[in-house]
Structures are given as structure tokens and as C-alpha cells.
Amino acid sequence: MKAIIIGNIISFFAMLCLVASCSARDREKMYRFQLYETVLCTAASLFFGSYSGLSTQFIAIYRNWKVYKKRYTFLDMILSAVLVVIIGLIVNNRGLIGLIPIVATIELTLCNYYLKNPNAIHFSILLNTALWMVYSLFIFDFSSVAGQIISISAGIYSSYRVWRNTRRAGELSV
């Protein structure tokens, strides 16, 4: 029980970073907060005994660092994806539920490489957050669930703002 409480405290701070990432308007800020969030989630996974989550988050630290520094190559994407699948499957101690971190990490790994548009990146982060929210419920990471709900809401609102501003700018130029 003590480990779950400590994990939830760490996850709370990770979720603050996720909210900041989902609310950010530019790519650099989004990925900087994603990096912070991933480091904290990796630490929290230790306390939850979530080994597939831990392994995927650890690999995601490398990926997020490369993305943040704008040095994320095709080879990095392939290496990250392959390692996530192999190591995630080897250490999975949660059965089918343990596959969610693997799927979520692969989704974001591919999107980090292929997506450049801030709205598309927001959508990718929202999808990823929804997957992790389901997983968080199963490992009793309730502070993450709360933060993920807030993050999804903030991300939807932020995407709406960008869409609205883009639409208005189009109307003004006509």
C-alpha cells in the first residue's frame, strides 16, 4: 500500500507535466514537458510494480530526449519501437493489460517521427493519454487517471483554440 501511495505522489507531478504538454502551443514546449513527464512516470512505475510500463517509459525517455533535441531519426524510431516490443513483452507481468503500455508507446514513437503539425501532435498525445489512462486504472494509479482526464480536456481545448484561430485567420484573409 505504501508503494502505491508513493507511486501516486510521483504520478501527480508527472501529470502536471502532461497537462502542461497538452496545453502547450508549440512543438518544443510540448516535447520538453513530455520528457519530464516520462522521467517521472518511469520512477512511478517502479512503485506500481509495472514492469512493462517501466520498460516502455525508460525507452521513451531516450525517444523524447531525441525528439526534444530535434535529433530523432528514422533509425531512432525503429530502434525505439523494436526495443519497446521486445523488452515490453519479456517483462510484462500484467497479461493483456500489460500490452497497453507497449501499444501506447509504439503509437507515440511513430507519431513523434511522422507528425510535424501541432494539431496532429496534440491528437497523438491525446490518444496516447487515453491509452495510458486505461492502464493507470488497472494499476491503481489514480492520480494519473485524474491528471489524464485533465490533460485530455486541456488538449481538446487547446486544439480547439488552434483550429478556431486558424479558421478566423482564413476568414480575415478572404
Side-chain angles (χ1 to χ4, degrees), residues 132-167:
W132 279 101
M133 185 174 66
V134 171
Y135 184 70
S136 296
L137 282 169
F138 283 101
I139 64 168
F140 306 110
D141 184 358
F142 301 117
S143 62
S144 283
V145 171
Q148 288 155 338
I149 290 169
I150 293 167
S151 296
I152 289 170
S153 300
I156 290 170
Y157 178 71
S158 180
S159 291
Y160 170 74
R161 271 192 338 229
V162 170
W163 172 81
R164 184 187 66 206
N165 291 341
T166 303
R167 188 170 164 221

Side-chain angles (χ1 to χ4, degrees), residues 9 27 29-30 36 44 49 54 60 68 75 81 95 98 109 111 117 129 137-138 155 157 160 163 167 171 174:
I9 291 168
R27 191 173 190 269
K29 285 182 184 175
M30 281 183 224
Y36 300 156
L54 174 67
Y68 174 66
L75 183 60
T109 297
C111 290
N117 178 291
T129 302
L137 282 169
F138 283 101
Y157 178 71
Y160 170 74
W163 172 81
R167 188 170 164 221
E171 290 173 358
V174 174

Side-chain angles (χ1 to χ4, degrees), residues 81-91:
V82 168
L83 287 174
V84 163
V85 171
I86 293 171
I87 296 171
L89 290 175
I90 290 171
V91 301

Side-chain angles (χ1 to χ4, degrees), residues 1 35 40 53 56 62 75 97 112 118 139 142 145 147:
M1 183 61 145
L35 178 62
L40 291 168
T56 59
Y62 166 78
L75 183 60
I97 299 303
N112 281 338
I139 64 168
F142 301 117
V145 171

